[in-house]
Each structure stands twice: as structure tokens, then as C-alpha cells.
């Protein structure tokens, strides 16, 4: 056997977008990776995995066929790299007898209706809700509920895709009819919609890594959003001090959520609203946060979720000794900014002088334009129509505010639009 063949192996399922941070994280610990995809073809709607970083890529097959192909690698773990891979990762880890969350509650980790019902059964604070494939029935529930606004969203989606905050029956109907029958970025058909009570309060993002029920709170960020029509648009996030409320209450609540959903292993990314009654889950994914940028998080939080996930699976005792029951540290002021726009047209090119000016701002760690030349830029209604991702980090809160304001002044000048008469051409959107 070669030295490479003697190295331990981690299996990554659907390592799209931020799942691309997992291969280097495992490599730093001397662990090779093998890729598995949950669909016959790769999902080109997301940033693809870099398969050159993998020892092997397993052909699509049934869970039993895939487990048999993986057995020769004697893997130490199976980890979901992105949302669609969660059920298959659960099933493969079970078939291979590896540490994992099991299949009993897999549906509750992907289906947002089942997710909240699992919390209700466990006695964990949660929203009122109803699901249906009929716009008429969704409207009827909203009218019976009698407390607008309400939230209408797909059962399985990401990045606020299809989520609407509705203030009357007409808006509920329009939101439902706009999504029912469509296909989301994971290739799943939206045959039903979920309607929930509106949670009044500030919204927060909280990420964990778990191993056999031992957990580390990687971060708590507060969302700052703006309401445009029926859509709440991401603007920026800011880190909370881990020992100042509401962070401790949110972290304690998330332990209840994770237990109710049977999540004892791996990374999780949750969104919570702190209501007058306390924290309430919006939704949770059993995978890395979509906002992970390892060196940025190392700078402001003292660690990142990708490296912590690899450590938990590759060196469980070290993870327990260093991180179990602990929380992140706030080492600097930081914001993750998603720029919005009212522009509508085809991008001719990027103004590199404007891009350079943004990149040169004192607190800018990363600036990523999200619309490539030849692609259509549209008014922002969700994460997918945000125009750029900007990561700001600095010791001074004032420097962050100053640079945030300048980014807002420059954001639309990044893009030069083509004459409206010219057609859109094929191209790739830059991935955040």
C-alpha cells in the first residue's frame, strides 16, 4: 500500500459552495476525502466541488450501492457538505456503522414543516404552522389564524428563496402561487408550501459543531435586514459577545433544538428570532453555514466551522478537550455584508477601479462580486439576487461603520450595464 492509501478517509456528500472548505480542513489533519453526490448529475446551480482535492469521486447509485463502494476506503465519517446531502449522509453513516445522526429524524432536518413539528413534540418553543399544496387552504389557515403578518415559504429551500412576509390574504395567495409547482436550486419540486406565525423580534444566526453530543458554539451573529415589499433582505451581520444576552439564551435554546432533532454529530447552521417569550427557531441546516470564510472567521472568532468539523471527526478527543461545552471568542469587530440593488439589466463588465477602491478600504477582508459579465442583474429579493458579498473586520467599530457606508455608496457603480437592446449571453455567476 502507498502512504496515501494508508491515510484515513472522510466521505463528503454534496460538498458544494462552502463544502469546498472541508477538503483542506481535513487535509491539514492528514485525512483524505472521497466525494459522493446525491443526484445523478452535479447541481450546477451551486458552486461545484473541486474534485481535484479528492482521492476519489464515487458514481451516483443507491445508498446500498454507494455504501458498498465506500467500504473499501474504511472511512472514519460521512459528512454532508451542503443541504441536499443531509439525508444521504445520515443513511450512509448508518449503513457503514459510523458516528452520525441516524435516519430516524432525517426528514425533520430537511423538511421545514417536519422540523418544527419535531420541536413541538419535544416541548421546545416553536412557531404555529400549517402546510398545503393549495393556495386556497393556505389563505384559509391565515384567515383562521387571524394574526397578520404571516410567513409563507417552501418546505425545502435555502437563502430565503421563496420566503415572503404577508400582511393580508391577497399577499398569502400571491406568495403561494408564485412558488407552488416551481423547482428550487436543489432540483426539488415545490408541491407544498409552509405558512407560519410571524415571529416578532430580532433575528440571529448561530453555528455549532457537535461530536457525540459534545458541542462547541462557533458563533452568534445578529442579522440586520430590511423589508422590501414582502421580502426581508439581508443587509449585514454583527457578532454578539458570547457572554452577553441574548447570546447565552440563544445558545442554551439551540442545545434543546439539536436534541429534539437528533443532531449529535457534525456542523449546524441555525437562524433564531428572540421573541418576547424567548428564542424561537426559524430553521436549521445540518451542514456548514453558507457564510463560512475560514481565515475571516479565524480573525474575528478564533476559529472556523470547517476546521472544527474536521477536528471533531478526525480527532474526537482533542475536540472534546479543547472545545466541548465552550463558545467562540469575539476577537475583533466584524460584519458580513450582502449588497442589494434596484438595477435591472445585463452586465457588460465590472468597473475595476471601483472594485479596487472597495478592496482597498481599511476593514475589507474579502469583496466578492456575485454577477459576472454577460449575466443579468435584477432587483434584490433574496440572497441569490444580492450583488456582492463583503467581509469587514477591524479592531475599531467606527472603521467598520465608515467602510460599510462607503461600500453602500459604491456598490452599484461596480457594474456597468449593457445597452438594453443587447441580448443576455451565457455566463457563470461568481460564487460567494
Amino acid at each position: 500500500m502507498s502512504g496515501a492509501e494508508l491515510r484515513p478517509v472522510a466521505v463528503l456528500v454534496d460538498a458544494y459552495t462552502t463544502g469546498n472548505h472541508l477538503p483542506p480542513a481535513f487535509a491539514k489533519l492528514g485525512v483524505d476525502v472521497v466525494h459522493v453526490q446525491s443526484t445523478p448529475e452535479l447541481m450546477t446551480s451551486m458552486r461545484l466541488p473541486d474534485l481535484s482535492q479528492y482521492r476519489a469521486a464515487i458514481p451516483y447509485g443507491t445508498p446500498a450501492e454507494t455504501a458498498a463502494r465506500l467500504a473499501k476506503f474504511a472511512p472514519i465519517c460521512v459528512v454532508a457538505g451542503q443541504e441536499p446531502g443531509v439525508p444521504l449522509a445520515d443513511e450512509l453513516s448508518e449503513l457503514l456503522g459510523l458516528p452520525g445522526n441516524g435516519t430516524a429524524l432525517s426528514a425533520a432536518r430537511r423538511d421545514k414543516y417536519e422540523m418544527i413539528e419535531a420541536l413541538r413534540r419535544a416541548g421546545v418553543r416553536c412557531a404555529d404552522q400549517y402546510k398545503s399544496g393549495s393556495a386556497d387552504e393556505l389563505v384559509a389557515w391565515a384567515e383562521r389564524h387571524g394574526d397578520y403578518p404571516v410567513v409563507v415559504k417552501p418546505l425545502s429551500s435555502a437563502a430565503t428563496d421563496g420566503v415572503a412576509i404577508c400582511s393580508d390574504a391577497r399577499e398569502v395567495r400571491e406568495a403561494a402561487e408564485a412558488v407552488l409547482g416551481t423547482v428550487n436550486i436543489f432540483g426539488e419540486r415545490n408541491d407544498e408550501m409552509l405558512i407560519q406565525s410571524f415571529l416578532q423580534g430580532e433575528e440571529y444566526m448561530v453555528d455549532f459543531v457537535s461530536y457525540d453530543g459534545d458541542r462547541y458554539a462557533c458563533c452568534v451573529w445578529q442579522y440586520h435586514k430590511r423589508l422590501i415589499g414582502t421580502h426581508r433582505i439581508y443587509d449585514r451581520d454583527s457578532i454578539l459577545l458570547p457572554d452577553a444576552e441574548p447570546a447565552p439564551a440563544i445558545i442554551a435554546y439551540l442545545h434543546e433544538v439539536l436534541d429534539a432533532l437528533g443532531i449529535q454529530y457534525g456542523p449546524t447552521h441555525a437562524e433564531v428570532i428572540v421573541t418576547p417569550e424567548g428564542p424561537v427557531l426559524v430553521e436549521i441546516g445540518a451542514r456548514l453555514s453558507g457564510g463560512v470564510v475560514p481565515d475571516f472567521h479565524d480573525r474575528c472568532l478564533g476559529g472556523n466551522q470547517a476546521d472544527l468539523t474536521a477536528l471533531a471527526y478526525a480527532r474526537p478527543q482533542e475536540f472534546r478537550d479543547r472545545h466541548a461545552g465552550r463558545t467562540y471568542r469575539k476577537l475583533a469587530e466584524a460584519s458580513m455584508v450582502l449588497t442589494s440593488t434596484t438595477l435591472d439589466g445585463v452586465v457588460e463588465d465590472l468597473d475595476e477601479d471601483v472594485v479596487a477602491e472597495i478592496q482597498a478600504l481599511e476593514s475589507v477582508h474579502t469583496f466578492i462580486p456575485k454577477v459576472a459579465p454577460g449575466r443579468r442583474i435584477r432587483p434584490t429579493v433574496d440572497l441569490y439576487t444580492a450583488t456582492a458579498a463583503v467581509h469587514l473586520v477591524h479592531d475599531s467599530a467606527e472603521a467598520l461603520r465608515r467602510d460599510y457606508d462607503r461600500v453602500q455608496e459604491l456598490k452599484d457603480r461596480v457594474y456597468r450595464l449593457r445597452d438594453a437592446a443587447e441580448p443576455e449571453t451565457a455566463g457563470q455567476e461568481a460564487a460567494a
Side-chain angles (χ1 to χ4, degrees):
M1 276 189 160
S2 70
E5 290 172 330
L6 293 172
R7 287 160 60 98
V9 168
V11 176
L12 306 182
V13 183
D14 290 345
Y16 299 96
T17 61
T18 52
N20 280 283
H21 297 310
L22 289 170
F26 277 105
K28 285 188 282 189
L29 300 175
V31 178
D32 287 346
V33 286
V34 169
H35 191 264
V36 170
Q37 61 195 58
S38 68
T39 52
E41 304 295 332
L42 288 168
M43 300 182 203
T44 56
S45 56
M46 294 178 284
R47 180 157 56 96
L48 296 175
D50 177 3
L51 296 180
S52 69
Q53 297 190 64
Y54 290 83
R55 187 194 290 188
I58 303 300
Y60 173 76
T62 67
E65 290 168 343
T66 303
R69 291 170 178 149
L70 290 171
K72 69 177 182 178
F73 296 100
I76 61 171
C77 61
V78 181
V79 186
Q82 241 300 326
E83 195 70 25
V86 170
L88 182 56
D90 288 342
E91 190 160 5
L92 290 175
S93 61
E94 202 168 80
L95 288 170
L96 292 164
L98 296 172
N101 296 317
T103 58
L105 288 169
S106 274
R109 300 180 202 122
R110 283 285 287 126
D111 183 301
K112 295 176 185 179
Y113 177 84
E114 295 299 330
M115 182 181 296
I116 300 307
E117 291 307 300
L119 299 193
R120 199 181 320 282
R121 289 191 296 270
V124 177
R125 189 185 307 111
C126 58
D128 296 329
Q129 63 173 6
Y130 176 76
K131 69 172 180 176
S132 176
S134 162
D136 288 342
E137 291 182 4
L138 294 166
V139 169
W141 183 90
E143 292 291 284
R144 289 195 305 273
H145 180 66
D147 188 11
Y148 287 101
V150 293
V151 179
V152 177
K153 60 185 177 183
L155 294 181
S156 176
S157 66
T160 66
D161 180 29
V163 178
I165 298 171
C166 304
S167 58
D168 56 34
R170 178 185 59 81
E171 290 184 353
V172 170
R173 182 178 300 280
E174 289 176 353
E177 290 177 346
V179 175
L180 284 170
T182 64
V183 175
N184 67 20
I185 67 160
F186 307 133
E188 301 161 335
R189 184 178 169 87
N190 293 307
D191 290 324
E192 291 184 299
M193 290 287 283
L194 176 61
I195 187 167
Q196 294 178 324
S197 56
F198 180 77
L199 301 173
Q200 187 67 50
E202 296 295 328
E203 187 173 0
Y204 302 83
M205 171 182 75
V206 54
D207 298 339
F208 272 78
V209 172
S210 305
Y211 192 88
D212 195 21
D214 289 321
R215 299 182 180 124
Y216 177 77
C218 303
C219 63
V220 180
W221 297 76
Q222 181 175 355
Y223 284 137
H224 303 275
K225 295 183 177 182
R226 293 178 290 111
L227 186 64
I228 299 178
T230 60
H231 302 282
R232 292 187 75 191
I233 304 301
Y234 287 90
D235 180 26
R236 60 188 172 86
D237 308 333
S238 54
I239 308 171
L240 297 190
L241 288 167
D243 55 356
E245 292 296 349
I250 292 171
I251 290 169
Y253 173 76
L254 255 294
H255 282 287
E256 296 181 42
V257 168
L258 294 170
D259 287 342
L261 296 173
I263 299 175
Q264 302 297 314
Y265 290 89
T268 51
H269 170 68
E271 289 161 343
V272 168
I273 290 177
V274 177
T275 71
E277 291 75 36
V280 180
L281 183 72
V282 176
E283 58 191 59
I284 188 169
R287 40 77 180 174
L288 291 181
S289 167
V292 170
V293 177
D295 52 354
F296 170 73
H297 286 90
D298 289 347
R299 167 78 174 84
C300 58
L301 296 167
N304 71 83
Q305 198 182 27
D307 285 352
L308 287 159
T309 297
L311 180 66
Y313 282 110
R315 301 177 185 173
Q317 193 57 52
E318 184 177 341
F319 173 79
R320 289 189 184 99
D321 292 344
R322 292 173 53 190
H323 302 291
R326 300 181 183 177
T327 67
Y328 65 97
R329 297 169 291 154
K330 182 179 178 180
L331 302 181
E333 300 295 333
S335 285
M336 296 186 285
V337 179
L338 288 160
T339 60
S340 60
T341 191
T342 57
L343 296 177
D344 193 348
V346 177
V347 174
E348 175 68 30
D349 59 16
L350 274 58
D351 189 321
E352 295 300 337
D353 290 338
V354 176
V355 171
E357 182 176 348
I358 292 173
Q359 291 173 331
L361 293 171
E362 188 177 5
S363 68
V364 170
H365 177 278
T366 312
F367 173 68
I368 306 170
K370 292 173 68 70
V371 189
R375 299 295 292 178
R376 181 78 175 270
I377 191 170
R378 293 179 171 86
T380 303
V381 295
D382 54 24
L383 278 179
Y384 296 118
T385 47
T387 57
V390 193
H391 296 83
L392 308 176
V393 59
H394 201 279
D395 293 333
S396 163
E398 177 53 38
L400 237 63
R401 284 191 292 272
R402 182 187 64 238
D403 290 350
Y404 166 84
D405 289 343
R406 187 58 178 154
V407 167
Q408 297 304 313
E409 293 170 0
L410 294 172
K411 62 184 175 65
D412 282 348
R413 289 171 48 193
V414 168
Y415 296 101
R416 288 196 282 242
L417 302 190
R418 187 175 298 174
D419 186 333
E422 296 185 53
E424 177 180 354
T425 59
Q428 288 290 327
E429 291 187 11

